[in-house]
């Protein structure tokens, strides 16, 4: 039923904006890889954008986008997560509601299909970030069925790395069959940042981690360093988690915007500092006015966005530090 409140809100409606990513790392090896990534990202951008247009909240859009990216075996989150040094999958995910400025997340959870669902549940809980044991207990309490996200490609990648004594710093940015033999550092993770019709921002990030890491290593993806939002800006990060934590990347950009810098300026300043310190990562961002931005110091950032008028991506932007933005 159309209420006065809804009518008033519709009068104030803004154009929704959306940006998603499927990781940062070295550039994709082949044209086929580029096309495969676009084929994965674009339908997700379209479906999530349609949800935003229908009046859904930024949080709902972020959760749907993260679920879809987690379910895509191409990306390092949910199904298709990379294996840690002991051959196990441990995933981390977080959700940050910019309007309420509340962060929730799970760290190193196993055997669930969509870690973002747990982060979403925790938004309204007094205890908002749970680690491995607590996350498993929560999944059991919520009667979430046990799920194995292991894929053959990730298993083969781990077997090969074990033979090489885990020399690579990270696993593949996306699970491409022909990339298994590459020895270059590649990575992945997923993230979604949305601005809804009513001007609310939200950010979500989900990951299988760096791949081949020590048991107990904690990813940036379930920390405000890797995923942060206020009512003014929202950011999701990907890349080497330790570098993201050292820069406190997501919170750094968001706080700069919250304190009055434009999103563009905040991205420029932050990525200049990061490249001076040889960091290896990327970030996607939105502000409350509808500006869209992305930045990277790594070779590639696999992001795609919807402005309301067009869909675009960053899949083929040049190697090196790069910032891009689209004003509202
Ligand atoms: N940031 C993630 C981590 O270090 C990995 C990634 O983004 O690919 O756990």
């Amino acid at each position: 039923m159309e209420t006065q409140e809804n009518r008033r809100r519709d009068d104030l409606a803004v154009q929704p904006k959306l940006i998603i990513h499927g990781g940062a790392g070295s550039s994709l090896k082949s044209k086929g890889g580029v096309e495969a990534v676009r084929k994965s990202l674009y339908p997700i951008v379209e479906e999530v954008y349609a949800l935003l247009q229908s009046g859904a909240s930024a949080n709902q859009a972020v959760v749907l986008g993260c679920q879809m990216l987690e379910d895509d075996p191409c990306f390092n989150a949910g199904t298709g997560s990379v294996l840690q040094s002991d051959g196990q999958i441990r995933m981390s995910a977080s959700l940050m509601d910019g309007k309420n400025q509340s962060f929730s997340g799970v760290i190193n959870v196993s055997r669930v299909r969509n870690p973002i669902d747990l982060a979403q549940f925790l938004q309204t809980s007094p205890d908002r970030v749970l680690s491995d044991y607590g996350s498993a207990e929560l999944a059991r309490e919520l009667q979430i069925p046990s799920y194995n996200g292991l894929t053959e490609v990730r298993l083969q990648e781990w077997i090969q790395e074990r033979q090489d004594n885990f020399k690579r710093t990270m696993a593949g940015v996306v699970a491409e069959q022909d990339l298994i033999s590459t020895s270059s550092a590649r990575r992945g993770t997923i993230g979604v940042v949305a601005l809804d019709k009513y001007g609310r921002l939200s950010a979500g990030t989900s990951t299988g981690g760096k791949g081949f890491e020590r048991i107990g290593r904690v990813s940036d993806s379930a920390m405000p360093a890797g995923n942060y939002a206020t009512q003014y800006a929202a950011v999701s990060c990907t890349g080497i988690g330790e570098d993201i934590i050292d820069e406190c990347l997501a919170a750094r950009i968001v706080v700069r915007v919250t304190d009055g810098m434009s999103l563009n300026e905040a991205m420029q300043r932050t990525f200049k500092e990061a490249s001076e310190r040889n960091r290896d990562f990327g970030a996607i961002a939105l502000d409350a006015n509808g500006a869209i931005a992305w930045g990277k110091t790594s070779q590639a950032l696999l992001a795609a966005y919807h402005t309301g008028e067009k869909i675009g991506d960053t899949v083929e932007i040049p190697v090196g530090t790069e910032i891009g933005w689209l004003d509202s």
Side-chain angles (χ1 to χ4, degrees):
M1 199 179 69
E2 184 159 59
T3 61
Q4 208 180 355
E5 171 71 2
N6 279 349
R7 268 201 307 278
R8 210 178 55 233
R9 284 170 139 210
D10 276 341
D11 290 344
L12 298 172
V14 299
Q15 172 89 67
K17 303 281 171 172
L18 176 69
I19 182 160
I20 71 174
H21 72 75
S26 47
S27 10
L28 290 174
K29 208 169 143 196
S30 60
K31 188 75 194 155
V34 168
E35 287 318 314
V37 167
R38 286 203 173 114
K39 228 170 123 187
S40 285
L41 294 178
Y42 278 43
I44 299 176
V45 166
E46 275 166 23
E47 191 167 332
V48 176
Y49 195 81
L51 183 69
L52 281 169
Q53 265 182 321
S54 74
S57 71
N59 283 339
Q60 284 169 321
V62 165
V63 169
L64 175 68
C66 287
Q67 286 166 341
M68 292 178 82
L69 288 157
E70 286 174 341
D71 287 346
D72 188 329
C74 180
F75 302 116
N76 171 23
T79 306
S81 285
V82 297
L83 307 188
Q84 299 198 338
S85 53
D86 62 342
Q88 297 297 312
I89 289 177
R90 295 183 187 86
M91 301 165 288
S92 300
S94 66
L95 177 67
M96 183 135 190
D97 175 334
K99 180 171 167 275
N100 297 332
Q101 213 176 306
S102 68
F103 181 95
S104 58
V106 285
I107 296 171
N108 287 331
V109 64
S110 304
R111 297 190 182 82
V112 293
R113 178 170 157 182
N114 295 112
I116 195 68
D117 292 351
L118 295 175
Q120 184 187 28
F121 177 84
L122 291 169
Q123 269 288 311
T124 51
S125 156
D127 304 314
R128 281 189 275 116
V129 184
L130 298 183
S131 66
D132 44 13
Y133 179 69
S135 311
E137 279 295 297
L138 176 64
R140 198 177 52 78
E141 270 168 45
L142 298 176
Q143 299 186 343
I144 294 176
S146 175
Y147 178 81
N148 183 0
L150 179 66
T151 61
E152 187 57 29
V153 174
R154 293 303 191 184
L155 179 62
Q156 292 307 325
E157 187 181 46
W158 182 82
I159 290 170
Q160 178 156 344
E161 276 309 304
R162 192 179 53 168
Q163 278 156 10
D164 294 347
N165 211 11
F166 301 116
K167 276 206 292 286
R168 272 162 72 188
T169 46
M170 288 184 86
V173 62
V174 292
E176 284 177 286
Q177 193 72 49
D178 63 332
L179 290 179
I180 290 172
S181 60
T182 185
S183 61
S184 61
R186 306 180 68 86
R187 53 208 67 105
T189 268
I190 65 95
V192 179
V193 181
L195 173 71
D196 68 27
K197 245 180 154 172
Y198 307 107
R200 298 170 298 202
L201 288 160
S202 174
T205 306
S206 181
T207 189
K210 283 195 296 191
F212 325 127
E213 61 266 74
R214 196 184 246 272
I215 303 168
R217 182 254 182 190
V218 176
S219 165
D220 62 288
S221 299
M223 291 186 195
N227 190 72
Y228 198 69
T230 63
Q231 56 176 301
Y232 301 101
V235 173
S236 165
C237 304
T238 174
I240 304 259
E242 286 66 10
D243 284 0
I244 295 169
I245 294 165
D246 289 345
E247 292 296 318
C248 203
L249 185 62
R252 190 187 198 88
I253 298 165
V254 169
V255 168
R256 282 182 159 158
V257 176
T258 304
D259 285 350
M261 233 183 228
S262 72
L263 180 61
N264 180 3
E265 268 178 310
M267 293 292 279
Q268 304 266 18
R269 168 93 66 98
T270 305
F271 276 86
K272 185 169 172 286
E273 292 163 349
S275 82
E276 283 162 7
R277 287 191 274 266
N278 292 324
R279 304 302 193 194
D280 189 350
F281 51 50
I284 57 170
L286 292 180
D287 74 12
N289 299 320
I292 300 178
W294 63 90
K296 67 172 183 68
T297 55
S298 47
Q299 289 187 11
L301 171 67
L302 310 180
Y305 54 84
H306 203 313
T307 65
E309 270 128 42
K310 64 169 187 166
I311 297 186
D313 70 72
T314 68
V315 175
E316 285 179 295
I317 51 176
V319 170
T321 303
E322 288 280 333
I323 312 287
W325 67 94
L326 296 156
D327 284 326
S328 39

